[in-house]
Amino acid sequence: MLQKYEPVIGLEIHAELMTQSKMFCGCRVVDSVEAEPNTAVCPVCLGMPGMLPVVNRRAVDFALLVALALNCEVQSNNIFARKNYFYPDLAKGYQISQYEFPIGLRGYLDITLSDGTIKRIGIRRVHMEEDTGKLTHLSDGSLVDFNRSGVALLEIVSDPDIRSGEEARAYAMRIRQILRYLRVNTGDMEKGVLRIEPNISIRPRGAEAFGTRVELKNLNSFRALADGTDFELDRQAALLDSGGRVIQETRGWHDARRETFSQRSKEEAEDYRYFTDPDLPPLYIDEAWIESARIALPELPQAKEARYRDEFGLSDYEASVLAEDRAVAEWFDAAVAGKGAGASPKTLANWILNDLFRLMNERGRSIDTLPVTPAALVALLGQVEQGTINQTTAREVLAEMMDSGRDPSSIIESRGLAQISDEAALTSIIDTIIAGNPGPVANYLGGKENLLGWFVGQVMRETKGRANPAVVNELLRTRLERERM
Amino acid sequence: MEPTISTLIELRDALRRGELTSVAATQAMLDRIVAIDNTIRSYLTVTDEMALEMAATADRRRAEGEDTPLLGVPVAVKDLLCLAGAPTTAGSKILENFISPYNAHAVDRLIEAGAVILGKTNTDEFAMGSSTESSAFFTTRNPWDTERVPGGSSGGSAAAVAAGLAYGALGTDTGGSVRQPASFCGLVGMRPTYGRISRWGVIAYASSLDQVGPMGQTAADTAALLSVIAGYDPRDSTSLDTPVPDYEAALTGDIRGLRVGVPHEFFIEGIDTEVEAAVRAAIEQIARLGAEIIEISIPHTRYGLPIYYLIASAEAGANLARYDGTRFGERVTGSDVIDTVERTRALFGPEVKRRIMLGSYALSAGYYDQYYGRALKARELIRENFRQAFETVDVIAAPTCPTTAFKIGERVDDPLTMYLNDMLTLPLNLSTGCGLSTPCGFDSKGLPIGLQLIGGPLQEATILNVAHAYEQTQPRRKPELALGDIA
Ligand SMILES: [Zn+2]
């Protein structure tokens, strides 16, 4: 079907910024689902007469981080504009936004597709604006909640470089990951703090001109984004194939029916009559401000993944899982940095991905509430390395560390888990075993040398698993050879 | 029961000397309002209870040895500035029952300085007008001739002060709305530098042009008010964070060596000959006081009118979009949300609707560059004109208005002639300076004529001092009719 047409997709992503207060007033930002309606409002965000906006510098800091993370050219001269339109949830009758002079222009983001190829998606612009209120329609009227009105919002607009639902999802997931890395957005699509709206059109392959585009709304998951986009591509292709034409409109995604439906036709482009907001002088972002943001910029997920792969020899999968969440990655980084003579990054990664994650799942712990510090894990693996405990015991100790938060050496000591490497003690145990098992000894000496493992098992049973297996092996072999003489 | 004290400074000094109480002065004003404001109609709301409480508080503070710049002085505030707990209507039906929960910054400053707020004065609807005739409630009358308009949009404030119904008042000046009524009513009225006074709590008409301004009987009264209301306010991002001089102390009366520019473009065709003669005489008088008079040119003056109406209307269209009946103010319930909003907005008067339409048109796709965009560029030319002028002169002197007060009803059906009235005041609003109007005599009908003095950015003290120096050479006159009424 899509062999005939080329999909052209651009994404507009609206992300609420996790500032303490709103973009232009002192109201606190509350959870839009949990807070009582209209409890975080003031005359400014209600658009009352004579009220004036004041820019929240923290929101600008956040926007600046995002612009830098998305490789944008940061614009020093930031102008706020009024976007005029009517809707009952828009308190002032205009939205303060950025139009000709946004904070970030001409950036890009590299995404990894399922076949492993890397694709670069252009970022057209990143701009600051304020959120609107929320309208709820009832049978006997409509209710407006202005808690969200004036919350700082970032709009990230991609170039129309996206060609499929899968690419759209990969791009959006990367954006979300970066926003979470920067700690400027929780990424919670269900709560609407992150809203993704693709503009979708198709054109005959080889054609220059763009087709008529459709804007897709109410996508509250990445799956909805991918499926909705693909559905829309198919629908448009089928429409063109049957001699119809795509009309410019806004379509919604019906999650249960897995299909898009028409919401609002946009035959005529809306005229927002943008003009510079006279209440807000130009906001100048100087080099020093940009530099301080650059310093505050954490290592981003792609860079972490590359480092884990290239420097630590982790697989793509291991690298991406460890880098997925900034807190996990930083936990891992701290462990690697503190490893000293202990385990290699690869060993640490294995322990985190297998044992630590399993224990976190079982105990319902997140990385932020983990009682085990990176240093404690390093110390535990150090004990394995030194031969004080073996891997199996180490797993037990880690489980206890999760429960008690105690450090590994005190657990090993109080529970007497240290390995027995003392040759005299082990020799007397071995002597007893050899004396009590003449049959197996004879068989071993008769050539069944793989019985060595059985003898090791016996020693382990006697020592409740604490015997140092390497020492036991060596002692047993020597002792059995002596029987031959 | 005519108050023997007529200026704000005289009253303040009398209160300081303990010659009378604020309660007495306030009660006298309230009585006078009851007696004559049914003729003048300067107040939309008289906050008598609040005023007497404030006066009692002022007297108590005074008894405790306190003194603040306006302690116990009764003043009036244009109904475009919010006063907590009182109606703030902007002269519009759409806000007829709006009780503001907050004070405008300038009102806060007045109250902190101990002033007594007598009430809210009439204004053209959302300050869009030059006569108070576009007020949704009534037209205020000029105390010098009650058949005539007091000017506008701060006509209520001007009439109140001129009729002795307040010792001073605040107005707002977007295109001349303080200076023009001051001129028509024989007062000193100032439009300070944009950003000198916070716009917080001032109902917006055209945000890049709006500025609160004081009005008084004299330059000193005006200076006293300005000293109180000027200053930085972090709630207004366009507020200037620069120190406020002592404007009263700046009134030395010495203007020797001052360079006064006279732009020939301000003596436009159609200017009333009596107005021109009075203004030129005043300039001669200023020369006699030691100032140097220099012919200058503000070549783009004539473009002021279209630039102003495009910019002001565009901003107004956006500023007035919030009056939809959803959150505050009047709501006319219709069949659905859209119908409700449409019915509610039908409460706007014709002048307001005209400017919203003009503004929306000027900003619309395909017309932006031709109208609004061009107006912004042309505004820069006017700014540059003034900037260049102030390289060679300290103050610009010109008429405030081409005519004296016109008759009520005379121009209502002719918006263009009405707009022409602001020809000489609005260039300043487009620039970055400050200006005032001060009385400079009367025409043969006995109507006051205003001399406009324009200064560069933050030169309020300079122009007030010129007004003060000139004022000392002139006889003081009060409107007879108003005084006669309360004999
Ligand atoms: Zn608020």
Side-chain angles (χ1 to χ4, degrees):
Chain A
M1 180 278 319
L2 286 169
Q3 278 158 0
K4 226 164 116 188
Y5 303 105
E6 182 189 31
V8 178
I9 303 160
L11 254 57
E12 280 176 25
I13 297 184
H14 285 92
E16 280 187 4
L17 294 176
M18 280 163 48
T19 44
Q20 293 283 307
S21 55
K22 294 184 178 180
M23 182 80 206
F24 298 111
C25 64
C27 286
R28 65 194 202 288
V29 175
V30 295
D31 186 306
S32 65
V33 177
E34 281 156 30
E36 277 290 301
N38 297 311
T39 50
V41 294
C42 74
V44 174
C45 56
L46 287 174
M48 290 184 69
M51 294 294 93
L52 297 169
V54 175
V55 174
N56 178 348
R57 294 240 149 193
R58 198 80 191 108
V60 182
D61 283 338
F62 283 2
L64 188 50
L65 280 178
V66 176
L68 290 173
L70 297 179
N71 309 294
C72 289
E73 296 165 20
V74 172
Q75 307 298 297
S76 55
N77 192 32
N78 275 259
I79 306 256
F80 290 96
R82 293 184 181 180
K83 180 181 181 179
N84 297 285
Y85 68 94
F86 170 77
Y87 208 62
D89 66 7
L90 185 63
K92 298 185 294 295
Y94 58 83
Q95 180 188 30
I96 305 178
S97 182
Q98 292 192 291
Y99 186 51
E100 282 176 287
F101 302 91
I103 188 162
L105 283 173
R106 294 177 286 275
Y108 64 85
L109 180 67
D110 290 336
I111 59 170
T112 311
L113 303 179
S114 59
D115 64 1
T117 54
I118 306 275
K119 177 166 178 178
R120 178 158 292 187
I121 308 294
I123 306 281
R124 179 167 290 176
R125 56 189 277 136
V126 172
H127 75 247
M128 298 175 273
E129 57 186 30
E130 56 176 340
D131 212 341
T132 62
K134 213 169 64 181
L135 211 55
T136 309
H137 297 289
L138 306 175
S139 57
D140 59 342
S142 302
L143 299 173
V144 205
D145 175 9
F146 286 101
N147 280 347
R148 227 176 59 179
S149 170
V151 169
L153 204 59
L154 207 60
E155 182 171 335
I156 302 163
V157 184
S158 85
D159 282 323
D161 295 344
I162 296 164
R163 296 286 172 265
S164 68
E166 189 215 331
E167 287 184 21
R169 168 157 56 185
Y171 168 82
M173 285 179 74
R174 255 308 185 219
I175 293 276
R176 185 178 90 136
Q177 186 187 30
I178 288 171
L179 295 174
R180 293 178 49 159
Y181 250 71
L182 301 175
R183 308 221 162 102
V184 300
N185 184 282
T186 59
D188 195 336
M189 292 171 73
E190 292 279 334
K191 282 187 175 163
V193 299
L194 189 70
R195 306 193 280 274
I196 301 168
E197 287 157 15
N199 283 304
I200 303 163
S201 67
I202 56 173
R203 61 182 169 191
R205 295 221 171 255
E208 282 281 314
F210 290 122
T212 307
R213 70 200 169 101
V214 163
E215 194 179 326
L216 203 53
K217 289 196 190 244
N218 12 323
L219 302 168
N220 58 7
S221 69
F222 290 115
R223 183 165 168 230
L225 168 64
D227 293 353
T229 301
D230 287 337
F231 178 93
E232 191 52 30
L233 292 172
D234 288 341
R235 187 190 70 86
Q236 292 184 14
L239 207 56
L240 294 190
D241 279 343
S242 64
R245 90 190 162 93
V246 177
I247 58 163
Q248 192 176 337
E249 61 182 343
T250 301
R251 294 179 73 86
W253 170 248
H254 199 295
D255 221 25
R257 279 195 245 132
R258 319 301 299 165
E259 62 184 31
T260 66
F261 60 96
S262 181
Q263 280 186 322
R264 192 155 51 102
S265 127
K266 269 192 174 177
E267 281 295 271
E268 279 176 48
E270 229 165 319
D271 184 0
Y272 293 117
R273 290 171 281 118
Y274 280 102
F275 72 103
T276 300
D277 189 340
D279 288 333
L280 293 165
L283 176 79
Y284 191 74
I285 301 179
D286 60 14
E287 270 308 314
W289 195 350
I290 296 173
E291 200 42 47
S292 68
R294 239 185 255 286
I295 290 164
L297 206 61
E299 186 183 24
L300 293 171
Q302 291 113 312
K304 281 199 191 289
E305 285 170 15
R307 187 160 57 84
Y308 296 167
R309 246 183 357 247
D310 304 343
E311 287 182 27
F312 300 161
L314 304 192
S315 70
D316 282 351
Y317 173 78
E318 289 168 331
S320 73
V321 174
L322 279 172
E324 172 58 28
D325 183 279
R326 177 173 165 191
V328 170
E330 286 182 350
W331 203 99
F332 172 61
D333 286 340
V336 170
K339 73 184 189 319
S344 68
K346 178 88 183 168
T347 309
L348 280 165
N350 283 335
W351 274 85
I352 293 169
L353 293 172
N354 300 316
D355 301 285
L356 199 65
F357 277 10
R358 180 179 45 78
L359 287 167
M360 280 163 65
N361 270 334
E362 287 170 9
R363 308 287 201 276
R365 292 277 195 176
S366 77
I367 195 82
D368 305 310
T369 59
L370 205 60
V372 181
T373 64
L377 178 66
V378 170
L380 176 68
L381 299 188
Q383 301 275 22
V384 177
E385 186 94 356
Q386 285 160 26
T388 315
I389 54 171
N390 59 31
Q391 300 258 345
T392 318
T393 311
R395 284 195 182 90
E396 271 174 57
V397 175
L398 184 60
E400 175 149 356
M401 287 160 70
M402 283 291 282
D403 294 328
S404 66
R406 287 166 62 199
D407 65 276
S409 57
S410 80
I411 295 171
I412 291 165
E413 195 176 322
S414 67
R415 288 184 44 190
L417 296 174
Q419 284 187 137
I420 303 167
S421 305
D422 177 40
E423 294 195 10
L426 291 174
T427 303
S428 94
I429 291 166
I430 288 168
D431 285 347
T432 314
I433 288 167
I434 285 176
N437 294 283
V441 172
N443 287 341
Y444 176 87
L445 296 173
K448 290 201 164 176
E449 295 201 350
N450 54 3
L451 270 172
L452 185 68
W454 182 86
F455 285 104
V456 173
Q458 295 305 305
V459 178
M460 286 299 173
R461 214 173 62 186
E462 267 322 290
T463 59
K464 297 191 175 68
R466 288 160 52 209
N468 183 326
V471 178
V472 170
N473 262 305
E474 191 49 42
L475 287 174
L476 263 175
R477 195 170 279 124
T478 321
R479 181 66 182 76
L480 284 165
E481 285 309 312
R482 267 209 333 253
E483 285 297 306
R484 219 185 274 282
M485 293 181 278
Chain B
M1 210 215 39
E2 180 196 343
T4 51
I5 299 159
S6 71
T7 75
L8 182 148
I9 299 289
E10 282 165 17
L11 175 75
R12 186 187 65 188
D13 292 346
L15 289 166
R16 279 181 178 160
R17 289 192 299 265
E19 288 166 18
L20 83 168
T21 63
S22 173
V23 168
T26 302
Q27 190 59 61
M29 277 288 149
L30 292 172
D31 292 347
R32 200 172 153 81
I33 289 167
V34 169
I36 67 166
D37 205 41
N38 55 353
T39 306
I40 304 297
R41 314 203 78 180
S42 58
Y43 283 90
L44 282 169
T45 306
V46 178
T47 51
D48 43 5
E49 279 179 34
M50 191 190 284
L52 286 168
E53 250 173 63
M54 287 172 155
T57 305
D59 287 335
R60 200 168 52 245
R61 284 170 65 186
R62 170 98 53 210
E64 287 162 5
E66 257 188 82
D67 191 22
T68 48
L70 296 176
L71 192 58
V73 176
V75 297
V77 172
K78 184 182 187 177
D79 208 17
L80 208 68
L81 285 85
C82 291
L83 172 62
T88 298
T89 68
S92 181
K93 286 277 180 201
I94 216 158
L95 286 175
E96 188 167 6
N97 297 302
F98 174 66
I99 308 286
S100 173
Y102 41 79
N103 280 332
H105 177 79
V107 170
D108 266 335
R109 297 296 288 260
L110 282 180
I111 294 170
E112 280 161 28
V116 169
I117 313 292
L118 291 166
K120 310 294 292 293
T121 56
N122 196 20
T123 168
D124 284 288
E125 187 174 5
F126 286 99
M128 297 177 185
S130 314
S131 64
T132 72
E133 287 168 293
S134 87
S135 164
F137 304 106
F138 46 75
T139 299
T140 299
R141 291 165 185 265
N142 191 318
W144 295 89
D145 177 351
T146 54
E147 297 297 302
R148 289 175 187 269
V149 301
S153 62
S154 313
S157 284
V161 177
L165 303 176
Y167 285 91
L170 299 189
T172 62
D173 190 318
T174 304
S177 282
V178 164
R179 287 162 291 154
Q180 184 254 21
S183 170
F184 281 13
C185 292
L187 302 173
V188 178
M190 168 177 271
R191 138 88 197 197
T193 305
Y194 186 79
R196 180 75 289 189
I197 297 164
S198 168
R199 291 180 296 115
W200 176 265
V202 181
I203 293 183
Y205 157 26
S207 311
S208 76
L209 303 163
D210 294 343
Q211 194 62 196
V212 173
M215 297 166 124
Q217 295 280 1
T218 64
D221 284 7
T222 309
L225 285 167
L226 181 64
S227 293
V228 164
I229 60 174
Y232 178 60
D233 175 12
R235 297 173 300 179
D236 174 359
S237 306
T238 63
S239 173
L240 296 172
D241 191 4
T242 50
V244 178
D246 182 338
Y247 295 110
E248 270 185 84
L251 305 181
T252 60
D254 181 1
I255 57 166
R256 282 172 299 175
L258 202 75
R259 299 166 303 169
V260 176
V262 181
H264 58 86
E265 293 89 352
F266 276 60
F267 294 84
I268 49 170
E269 206 183 298
I271 188 172
D272 188 295
T273 51
E274 288 183 297
V275 168
E276 174 161 5
V279 169
R280 291 208 186 274
I283 292 167
E284 277 166 33
Q285 181 60 43
I286 287 168
R288 278 195 289 278
L289 289 168
E292 179 192 352
I293 308 300
I294 302 165
E295 273 283 322
I296 61 163
S297 173
I298 306 284
H300 293 99
T301 303
R302 63 200 167 101
Y303 299 118
L305 193 74
I307 297 168
Y308 171 82
Y309 277 96
L310 287 169
I311 292 176
S313 302
E315 293 178 6
N319 284 332
L320 269 55
R322 67 189 60 198
Y323 304 102
D324 58 9
T326 307
R327 287 145 290 122
F328 56 82
E330 294 303 300
R331 175 189 295 173
V332 185
T333 305
S335 56
D336 58 22
V337 175
I338 300 296
D339 191 39
T340 296
V341 171
E342 280 178 4
R343 285 165 187 265
T344 302
R345 285 179 174 168
L347 293 172
F348 283 135
E351 185 59 35
V352 172
K353 287 179 185 161
R354 185 154 41 232
R355 295 198 198 184
I356 291 174
M357 292 300 290
L358 174 60
S360 301
Y361 185 75
L363 286 172
S364 55
Y367 296 96
Y368 180 99
D369 290 338
Q370 194 178 344
Y371 296 112
Y372 186 71
R374 246 172 130 185
L376 288 184
K377 285 182 192 133
R379 178 184 187 162
E380 290 307 315
L381 294 178
I382 292 202
R383 287 188 168 173
E384 184 54 22
N385 278 183
F386 275 97
R387 203 191 57 73
Q388 279 180 9
F390 285 117
E391 279 175 4
T392 52
V393 301
D394 304 302
V395 173
I396 293 169
T400 306
C401 300
T403 66
T404 52
F406 48 87
K407 287 207 161 138
I408 291 169
E410 197 177 83
R411 297 185 185 177
V412 254
D413 298 327
D414 187 359
L416 275 184
T417 312
M418 189 75 100
Y419 293 175
L420 282 173
N421 203 259
D422 303 325
M423 269 291 286
L424 306 180
T425 48
L426 46 82
L428 165 62
N429 299 71
L430 297 168
S431 87
T432 53
C434 57
L436 59 75
S437 180
T438 193
C440 67
F442 296 83
D443 69 4
S444 50
K445 297 191 265 319
L447 298 170
I449 296 168
L451 166 72
Q452 185 173 205
L453 297 168
I454 299 172
L458 295 173
Q459 295 304 304
E460 285 82 3
T462 310
I463 56 174
L464 278 167
N465 191 34
V466 177
H468 176 74
Y470 169 71
E471 190 178 271
Q472 304 307 304
T473 68
Q474 299 298 302
R476 291 256 314 277
R477 260 175 70 185
K478 292 182 193 178
E480 279 160 27
L481 185 135
L483 295 178
D485 266 4
I486 47 120

